[in-house]
Amino acid sequence: MHAPYRTPRPLVSITLLLAACGAPPATIAPSPSGVQAPASASVAPIASSSVETAPRPPQTPKRPIATTYHGVTVVDDYRWLEDGADPGVKAWSDAENAYTRKVLDALPDRPAIRERVRALLTSASGVHFSMQERRGALFSLRDKPPKQQPYLVTLASADDATSERAVVDPNVLDASGATAIDWFSPSDDGKLVAVSLSRGGSESGDVHVYEVATGAERSADVITHANGGTAGGSLVWRKDGKGFWYTRYPRAGERPEADLDFYQQVYFHALGTAEKD
């Protein structure tokens, strides 16, 4: 039921990331077909003077936070970085991003690598994955560049691509490409599908229920904070399709702020009723 979350498609290759860590970039040379490809893996070592003059990354302060779990106290020096609303965290993140840009933008081969990665990620190829069958209909996530995020489709069969029909497309719901499907669960009769949607790579997903035939959302049946980055989430429909069991993380006020991504509990939701507290 679970599908891998994808942030908007990156344009930085592993080669660039290695280069940012100090590894020398490979030279890009044209192949006979005209496609840019890495040249020989043999590269000259970085001169010691280059290492000495390389920009240094910003320092990350240690701010110990102690939390006791079942009688065991765990101290985390960097847990303070988890609060994205903290001005100090924002300043640290901006400094890290500026440092990264300074390193990557200075790489001579970066433009060629960037364009090659862009060409690969926006190619016309596409794949189906996370397939589930319900009453003769095949539900699947569809990854089709240049769309930023996979979207949910149905097919009459895996052998009939012409029968494909989009049910929930996060690229349409959010043109910025920041909304993604965490997972989906069709009802047993295939008439409804529950979909967890999260934004900005947060993996903090809310469940939305859609009618498969029309793609229309049932606005009364939204479950908040059903998926999380620590343990994901899960949902199972009742046999008659009139409700489902689901996992949910605590809401603000139910537990301390630090515990809101832990302590999942199982609830039941009857369609058309208010979300359980």
Side-chain angles (χ1 to χ4, degrees), residues 161-176:
T162 62
S163 66
E164 179 180 292
R165 183 175 60 83
V167 179
V168 182
D169 189 343
N171 304 283
V172 175
L173 299 176
D174 179 2
S176 73

mmCIF file with all atom_site columns, all heavy atoms in Angstrom, residues 161-176:
data_model
loop_
_atom_site.group_PDB
_atom_site.id
_atom_site.type_symbol
_atom_site.label_atom_id
_atom_site.label_alt_id
_atom_site.label_comp_id
_atom_site.label_asym_id
_atom_site.label_entity_id
_atom_site.label_seq_id
_atom_site.pdbx_PDB_ins_code
_atom_site.Cartn_x
_atom_site.Cartn_y
_atom_site.Cartn_z
_atom_site.occupancy
_atom_site.B_iso_or_equiv
_atom_site.pdbx_formal_charge
_atom_site.auth_seq_id
_atom_site.auth_comp_id
_atom_site.auth_asym_id
_atom_site.auth_atom_id
_atom_site.pdbx_PDB_model_num
ATOM 1   N N   . ALA A 1 161 ? -2.883  -0.407 -21.999 1.00 0.00 ? 161 ALA A N   1
ATOM 2   C CA  . ALA A 1 161 ? -2.486  0.945  -21.602 1.00 0.00 ? 161 ALA A CA  1
ATOM 3   C C   . ALA A 1 161 ? -3.518  1.981  -22.024 1.00 0.00 ? 161 ALA A C   1
ATOM 4   O O   . ALA A 1 161 ? -3.622  3.048  -21.420 1.00 0.00 ? 161 ALA A O   1
ATOM 5   C CB  . ALA A 1 161 ? -1.121  1.290  -22.197 1.00 0.00 ? 161 ALA A CB  1
ATOM 6   N N   . THR A 1 162 ? -4.290  1.685  -23.060 1.00 0.00 ? 162 THR A N   1
ATOM 7   C CA  . THR A 1 162 ? -5.286  2.653  -23.537 1.00 0.00 ? 162 THR A CA  1
ATOM 8   C C   . THR A 1 162 ? -6.432  2.838  -22.551 1.00 0.00 ? 162 THR A C   1
ATOM 9   O O   . THR A 1 162 ? -7.180  3.812  -22.642 1.00 0.00 ? 162 THR A O   1
ATOM 10  C CB  . THR A 1 162 ? -5.861  2.217  -24.892 1.00 0.00 ? 162 THR A CB  1
ATOM 11  O OG1 . THR A 1 162 ? -6.532  0.956  -24.742 1.00 0.00 ? 162 THR A OG1 1
ATOM 12  C CG2 . THR A 1 162 ? -4.750  2.068  -25.928 1.00 0.00 ? 162 THR A CG2 1
ATOM 13  N N   . SER A 1 163 ? -6.568  1.908  -21.608 1.00 0.00 ? 163 SER A N   1
ATOM 14  C CA  . SER A 1 163 ? -7.657  2.002  -20.629 1.00 0.00 ? 163 SER A CA  1
ATOM 15  C C   . SER A 1 163 ? -7.280  2.854  -19.419 1.00 0.00 ? 163 SER A C   1
ATOM 16  O O   . SER A 1 163 ? -8.100  3.049  -18.517 1.00 0.00 ? 163 SER A O   1
ATOM 17  C CB  . SER A 1 163 ? -8.058  0.595  -20.159 1.00 0.00 ? 163 SER A CB  1
ATOM 18  O OG  . SER A 1 163 ? -6.985  -0.001 -19.427 1.00 0.00 ? 163 SER A OG  1
ATOM 19  N N   . GLU A 1 164 ? -6.063  3.370  -19.400 1.00 0.00 ? 164 GLU A N   1
ATOM 20  C CA  . GLU A 1 164 ? -5.598  4.146  -18.248 1.00 0.00 ? 164 GLU A CA  1
ATOM 21  C C   . GLU A 1 164 ? -6.434  5.405  -18.041 1.00 0.00 ? 164 GLU A C   1
ATOM 22  O O   . GLU A 1 164 ? -6.727  6.143  -18.979 1.00 0.00 ? 164 GLU A O   1
ATOM 23  C CB  . GLU A 1 164 ? -4.125  4.522  -18.430 1.00 0.00 ? 164 GLU A CB  1
ATOM 24  C CG  . GLU A 1 164 ? -3.562  5.345  -17.281 1.00 0.00 ? 164 GLU A CG  1
ATOM 25  C CD  . GLU A 1 164 ? -2.100  5.696  -17.501 1.00 0.00 ? 164 GLU A CD  1
ATOM 26  O OE1 . GLU A 1 164 ? -1.273  4.773  -17.466 1.00 0.00 ? 164 GLU A OE1 1
ATOM 27  O OE2 . GLU A 1 164 ? -1.803  6.889  -17.730 1.00 0.00 ? 164 GLU A OE2 1
ATOM 28  N N   . ARG A 1 165 ? -6.798  5.652  -16.795 1.00 0.00 ? 165 ARG A N   1
ATOM 29  C CA  . ARG A 1 165 ? -7.568  6.850  -16.457 1.00 0.00 ? 165 ARG A CA  1
ATOM 30  C C   . ARG A 1 165 ? -7.081  7.395  -15.125 1.00 0.00 ? 165 ARG A C   1
ATOM 31  O O   . ARG A 1 165 ? -6.963  6.660  -14.139 1.00 0.00 ? 165 ARG A O   1
ATOM 32  C CB  . ARG A 1 165 ? -9.060  6.514  -16.364 1.00 0.00 ? 165 ARG A CB  1
ATOM 33  C CG  . ARG A 1 165 ? -9.951  7.709  -16.080 1.00 0.00 ? 165 ARG A CG  1
ATOM 34  C CD  . ARG A 1 165 ? -11.407 7.292  -16.122 1.00 0.00 ? 165 ARG A CD  1
ATOM 35  N NE  . ARG A 1 165 ? -11.692 6.254  -15.136 1.00 0.00 ? 165 ARG A NE  1
ATOM 36  C CZ  . ARG A 1 165 ? -11.948 6.514  -13.838 1.00 0.00 ? 165 ARG A CZ  1
ATOM 37  N NH1 . ARG A 1 165 ? -11.926 7.758  -13.398 1.00 0.00 ? 165 ARG A NH1 1
ATOM 38  N NH2 . ARG A 1 165 ? -12.215 5.523  -13.018 1.00 0.00 ? 165 ARG A NH2 1
ATOM 39  N N   . ALA A 1 166 ? -6.761  8.688  -15.078 1.00 0.00 ? 166 ALA A N   1
ATOM 40  C CA  . ALA A 1 166 ? -6.283  9.316  -13.853 1.00 0.00 ? 166 ALA A CA  1
ATOM 41  C C   . ALA A 1 166 ? -7.425  9.477  -12.862 1.00 0.00 ? 166 ALA A C   1
ATOM 42  O O   . ALA A 1 166 ? -8.523  9.898  -13.222 1.00 0.00 ? 166 ALA A O   1
ATOM 43  C CB  . ALA A 1 166 ? -5.654  10.666 -14.164 1.00 0.00 ? 166 ALA A CB  1
ATOM 44  N N   . VAL A 1 167 ? -7.177  9.132  -11.602 1.00 0.00 ? 167 VAL A N   1
ATOM 45  C CA  . VAL A 1 167 ? -8.166  9.295  -10.536 1.00 0.00 ? 167 VAL A CA  1
ATOM 46  C C   . VAL A 1 167 ? -7.778  10.457 -9.624  1.00 0.00 ? 167 VAL A C   1
ATOM 47  O O   . VAL A 1 167 ? -8.580  11.343 -9.344  1.00 0.00 ? 167 VAL A O   1
ATOM 48  C CB  . VAL A 1 167 ? -8.312  7.996  -9.717  1.00 0.00 ? 167 VAL A CB  1
ATOM 49  C CG1 . VAL A 1 167 ? -9.333  8.186  -8.586  1.00 0.00 ? 167 VAL A CG1 1
ATOM 50  C CG2 . VAL A 1 167 ? -8.716  6.831  -10.599 1.00 0.00 ? 167 VAL A CG2 1
ATOM 51  N N   . VAL A 1 168 ? -6.517  10.448 -9.151  1.00 0.00 ? 168 VAL A N   1
ATOM 52  C CA  . VAL A 1 168 ? -6.010  11.524 -8.292  1.00 0.00 ? 168 VAL A CA  1
ATOM 53  C C   . VAL A 1 168 ? -4.632  11.933 -8.799  1.00 0.00 ? 168 VAL A C   1
ATOM 54  O O   . VAL A 1 168 ? -3.715  11.111 -8.820  1.00 0.00 ? 168 VAL A O   1
ATOM 55  C CB  . VAL A 1 168 ? -5.903  11.081 -6.816  1.00 0.00 ? 168 VAL A CB  1
ATOM 56  C CG1 . VAL A 1 168 ? -5.406  12.243 -5.946  1.00 0.00 ? 168 VAL A CG1 1
ATOM 57  C CG2 . VAL A 1 168 ? -7.235  10.567 -6.304  1.00 0.00 ? 168 VAL A CG2 1
ATOM 58  N N   . ASP A 1 169 ? -4.509  13.182 -9.214  1.00 0.00 ? 169 ASP A N   1
ATOM 59  C CA  . ASP A 1 169 ? -3.240  13.678 -9.742  1.00 0.00 ? 169 ASP A CA  1
ATOM 60  C C   . ASP A 1 169 ? -2.768  14.856 -8.881  1.00 0.00 ? 169 ASP A C   1
ATOM 61  O O   . ASP A 1 169 ? -3.285  15.961 -8.988  1.00 0.00 ? 169 ASP A O   1
ATOM 62  C CB  . ASP A 1 169 ? -3.400  14.131 -11.193 1.00 0.00 ? 169 ASP A CB  1
ATOM 63  C CG  . ASP A 1 169 ? -2.057  14.452 -11.848 1.00 0.00 ? 169 ASP A CG  1
ATOM 64  O OD1 . ASP A 1 169 ? -1.062  14.634 -11.120 1.00 0.00 ? 169 ASP A OD1 1
ATOM 65  O OD2 . ASP A 1 169 ? -2.006  14.528 -13.090 1.00 0.00 ? 169 ASP A OD2 1
ATOM 66  N N   . PRO A 1 170 ? -1.772  14.630 -7.999  1.00 0.00 ? 170 PRO A N   1
ATOM 67  C CA  . PRO A 1 170 ? -1.288  15.725 -7.143  1.00 0.00 ? 170 PRO A CA  1
ATOM 68  C C   . PRO A 1 170 ? -0.662  16.863 -7.931  1.00 0.00 ? 170 PRO A C   1
ATOM 69  O O   . PRO A 1 170 ? -0.591  17.989 -7.437  1.00 0.00 ? 170 PRO A O   1
ATOM 70  C CB  . PRO A 1 170 ? -0.253  15.044 -6.234  1.00 0.00 ? 170 PRO A CB  1
ATOM 71  C CG  . PRO A 1 170 ? 0.161   13.827 -6.975  1.00 0.00 ? 170 PRO A CG  1
ATOM 72  C CD  . PRO A 1 170 ? -1.050  13.381 -7.748  1.00 0.00 ? 170 PRO A CD  1
ATOM 73  N N   . ASN A 1 171 ? -0.229  16.597 -9.169  1.00 0.00 ? 171 ASN A N   1
ATOM 74  C CA  . ASN A 1 171 ? 0.318   17.663 -10.007 1.00 0.00 ? 171 ASN A CA  1
ATOM 75  C C   . ASN A 1 171 ? -0.757  18.659 -10.427 1.00 0.00 ? 171 ASN A C   1
ATOM 76  O O   . ASN A 1 171 ? -0.464  19.827 -10.695 1.00 0.00 ? 171 ASN A O   1
ATOM 77  C CB  . ASN A 1 171 ? 0.974   17.061 -11.251 1.00 0.00 ? 171 ASN A CB  1
ATOM 78  C CG  . ASN A 1 171 ? 2.038   16.047 -10.907 1.00 0.00 ? 171 ASN A CG  1
ATOM 79  O OD1 . ASN A 1 171 ? 3.136   16.377 -10.516 1.00 0.00 ? 171 ASN A OD1 1
ATOM 80  N ND2 . ASN A 1 171 ? 1.692   14.765 -11.037 1.00 0.00 ? 171 ASN A ND2 1
ATOM 81  N N   . VAL A 1 172 ? -2.004  18.174 -10.492 1.00 0.00 ? 172 VAL A N   1
ATOM 82  C CA  . VAL A 1 172 ? -3.129  19.050 -10.786 1.00 0.00 ? 172 VAL A CA  1
ATOM 83  C C   . VAL A 1 172 ? -3.599  19.753 -9.516  1.00 0.00 ? 172 VAL A C   1
ATOM 84  O O   . VAL A 1 172 ? -3.928  20.945 -9.529  1.00 0.00 ? 172 VAL A O   1
ATOM 85  C CB  . VAL A 1 172 ? -4.289  18.249 -11.415 1.00 0.00 ? 172 VAL A CB  1
ATOM 86  C CG1 . VAL A 1 172 ? -5.522  19.135 -11.603 1.00 0.00 ? 172 VAL A CG1 1
ATOM 87  C CG2 . VAL A 1 172 ? -3.854  17.650 -12.744 1.00 0.00 ? 172 VAL A CG2 1
ATOM 88  N N   . LEU A 1 173 ? -3.592  19.026 -8.391  1.00 0.00 ? 173 LEU A N   1
ATOM 89  C CA  . LEU A 1 173 ? -4.001  19.611 -7.120  1.00 0.00 ? 173 LEU A CA  1
ATOM 90  C C   . LEU A 1 173 ? -3.045  20.712 -6.684  1.00 0.00 ? 173 LEU A C   1
ATOM 91  O O   . LEU A 1 173 ? -3.448  21.683 -6.045  1.00 0.00 ? 173 LEU A O   1
ATOM 92  C CB  . LEU A 1 173 ? -4.057  18.524 -6.036  1.00 0.00 ? 173 LEU A CB  1
ATOM 93  C CG  . LEU A 1 173 ? -5.044  17.376 -6.268  1.00 0.00 ? 173 LEU A CG  1
ATOM 94  C CD1 . LEU A 1 173 ? -4.904  16.340 -5.164  1.00 0.00 ? 173 LEU A CD1 1
ATOM 95  C CD2 . LEU A 1 173 ? -6.468  17.899 -6.328  1.00 0.00 ? 173 LEU A CD2 1
ATOM 96  N N   . ASP A 1 174 ? -1.769  20.552 -7.023  1.00 0.00 ? 174 ASP A N   1
ATOM 97  C CA  . ASP A 1 174 ? -0.738  21.510 -6.613  1.00 0.00 ? 174 ASP A CA  1
ATOM 98  C C   . ASP A 1 174 ? 0.262   21.666 -7.749  1.00 0.00 ? 174 ASP A C   1
ATOM 99  O O   . ASP A 1 174 ? 1.142   20.822 -7.942  1.00 0.00 ? 174 ASP A O   1
ATOM 100 C CB  . ASP A 1 174 ? -0.038  21.011 -5.343  1.00 0.00 ? 174 ASP A CB  1
ATOM 101 C CG  . ASP A 1 174 ? 1.061   21.933 -4.857  1.00 0.00 ? 174 ASP A CG  1
ATOM 102 O OD1 . ASP A 1 174 ? 1.270   22.994 -5.474  1.00 0.00 ? 174 ASP A OD1 1
ATOM 103 O OD2 . ASP A 1 174 ? 1.724   21.591 -3.859  1.00 0.00 ? 174 ASP A OD2 1
ATOM 104 N N   . ALA A 1 175 ? 0.127   22.744 -8.517  1.00 0.00 ? 175 ALA A N   1
ATOM 105 C CA  . ALA A 1 175 ? 0.974   22.950 -9.695  1.00 0.00 ? 175 ALA A CA  1
ATOM 106 C C   . ALA A 1 175 ? 2.444   23.154 -9.339  1.00 0.00 ? 175 ALA A C   1
ATOM 107 O O   . ALA A 1 175 ? 3.306   23.013 -10.205 1.00 0.00 ? 175 ALA A O   1
ATOM 108 C CB  . ALA A 1 175 ? 0.471   24.154 -10.492 1.00 0.00 ? 175 ALA A CB  1
ATOM 109 N N   . SER A 1 176 ? 2.748   23.453 -8.083  1.00 0.00 ? 176 SER A N   1
ATOM 110 C CA  . SER A 1 176 ? 4.148   23.647 -7.688  1.00 0.00 ? 176 SER A CA  1
ATOM 111 C C   . SER A 1 176 ? 4.912   22.331 -7.628  1.00 0.00 ? 176 SER A C   1
ATOM 112 O O   . SER A 1 176 ? 6.147   22.318 -7.587  1.00 0.00 ? 176 SER A O   1
ATOM 113 C CB  . SER A 1 176 ? 4.213   24.338 -6.322  1.00 0.00 ? 176 SER A CB  1
ATOM 114 O OG  . SER A 1 176 ? 3.833   23.446 -5.268  1.00 0.00 ? 176 SER A OG  1
#
